[in-house]
Amino acid sequence: AFDAISNLQQDNRVRISSMQPALPILDLHDVSRTEVHSSLFQTMQEKLLGKVGSLDTRGLTKLLDRCFRHIGGDAQLRDVCLMIMQKLPKVDEKYLQHIADNQELYAACPAEVKRQIWQTNQSLFGEAVSPLLDQYIAEKDRLMFGTLTKEQDKKPTSFLSFSPKVRRQSNIVQELVSMVGTSQQLYSILCQFLKTLYLRTRIPHYCTLRADILMCLHEKVSPLSEADPCRKFAWCLDACIRAGCIDGKKSRELFTFLEQIEGGKELLVYVNDYYDHV
């Protein structure tokens, strides 16, 4: 048993020449080996994290290749691996798949890494956004069929009394926009989710959410909104709602946009139903 312990210590000890003479001295001061190794580990982690910030993509990739085997071990080493992945614009698919298959690692990884996983794993993206969509629908039903009292004046308010801008500031809309980030692929998948849910249920709140997400991206000057074919139509109708009327100029803009849509397309299914609803 003694030989086994000794061999284990030799095989796993910190291989720094100055450490061995220092350990007996630390023992005399009642500093446990656990404290010593924890302190060393913390110092090495800090140095590694500092180095990560100065590496280019090639250096980050090499470092990740060397340390990824430790991602399932100590939490401190895991954090180093996740930070490297967070800074990489493109993580190797084999690493993303390993994380996707491990619930604990998946839950711990930052949004930048999850977006890369979601782009190749729509089911995980669906699992992530579904609770938010359900929560959004439940809140809108509560507002539509009930009342909410404003704290400042104690007057009952309804769903229609909230301006589009206020609705776009909701935590759910902001979180969905944050989850998509700048990924055109994730934005398209989210829009497809909303379209499928609307066509299946005919619940108009999915149209509301689709429009609010688009206009939220528009306000953030996101390239995703620029690429959305419904942007100009949604922006125009949003302006009409704020003004409380559709003037001649806006009417012409709307008709011009609609004339460009080929027959049989469902391009405006969300936006049309959303504004019919409100």
Side-chain angles (χ1 to χ4, degrees), residues 260-274:
Q260 299 172 357
I261 306 302
E262 298 177 13
K265 285 194 173 182
E266 294 180 331
L267 185 63
L268 297 178
V269 63
Y270 310 114
V271 182
N272 279 333
D273 282 12
Y274 162 62

Side-chain angles (χ1 to χ4, degrees), residues 163-169 173-174 177 187 191 194 207-222 224-226 228-242 250 271 274-275:
S163 69
K165 185 173 182 179
V166 170
R167 293 199 301 269
R168 293 194 290 271
Q169 292 173 347
V173 173
Q174 294 293 329
V177 169
Y187 179 59
C191 289
L194 293 172
C207 309
T208 308
L209 180 56
R210 165 70 166 91
D212 284 346
I213 290 173
L214 170 57
M215 296 312 299
C216 183
L217 290 168
H218 171 74
E219 291 173 353
K220 294 177 180 293
V221 197
S222 169
L224 297 179
S225 67
E226 296 292 328
D228 194 314
C230 294
R231 181 183 66 86
K232 290 183 179 179
F233 187 79
W235 176 84
C236 186
L237 281 176
D238 199 67
C240 293
I241 288 179
R242 291 197 303 271
K250 289 291 190 295
V271 182
Y274 162 62
Y275 286 106

Side-chain angles (χ1 to χ4, degrees), residues 136-148 159 205:
Y136 182 89
I137 298 302
E139 286 187 4
K140 291 299 171 284
D141 280 341
R142 180 173 60 87
L143 293 174
M144 180 66 75
F145 300 111
T147 59
L148 185 68
F159 171 77
H205 300 318

Side-chain angles (χ1 to χ4, degrees), residues 125-137:
F125 184 54
E127 291 176 7
V129 301
S130 288
L132 295 174
L133 303 185
D134 293 342
Q135 184 181 346
Y136 182 89
I137 298 302

